[in-house]
Amino acid sequence: MKTPIALAAALAVIALPTVADAASNKRDHRAGYGAYARSPAQIACTQYGCIPVPRGCRREAGRTGSDMPSGFDVITCPTGTMYGNR
């Protein structure tokens, strides 16, 4: 008599994660698009590390003194250039 009870308990343990996973997939997928509507701050990877670009500024490709690409970003603001040559 203990075998059917043990079998039923084992099936319940196996079926529980499957039922829980099916319930989590039934949510409204349109609810998560709010995060995509807000654009995050831009990140500029300068020679001093990757930092967020301040509001009102933009990132551009950096240049060396001989006008070759440096491989780093430069932050350009209305008040001037930060973190490298433009």
Side-chain angles (χ1 to χ4, degrees):
M1 252 355 221
K2 291 185 179 181
T3 310
I5 295 173
L7 182 63
L11 287 176
V13 169
I14 293 171
L16 186 62
T18 306
V19 172
D21 186 41
S24 67
N25 289 336
K26 299 223 185 235
R27 67 180 181 89
D28 186 16
H29 291 285
R30 293 174 288 167
Y33 288 130
Y36 295 106
R38 292 176 296 232
S39 65
Q42 288 187 350
I43 301 293
C45 290
T46 65
Q47 59 192 2
Y48 302 106
C50 294
I51 55 175
V53 177
R55 182 171 289 190
C57 301
R58 65 182 186 275
R59 66 181 177 95
E60 294 181 355
R63 298 279 183 179
T64 62
S66 60
D67 204 33
M68 295 293 294
S70 68
F72 296 109
D73 290 331
V74 175
I75 299 175
T76 304
C77 296
T79 58
T81 302
M82 298 189 292
Y83 307 112
N85 298 327
R86 180 169 52 123

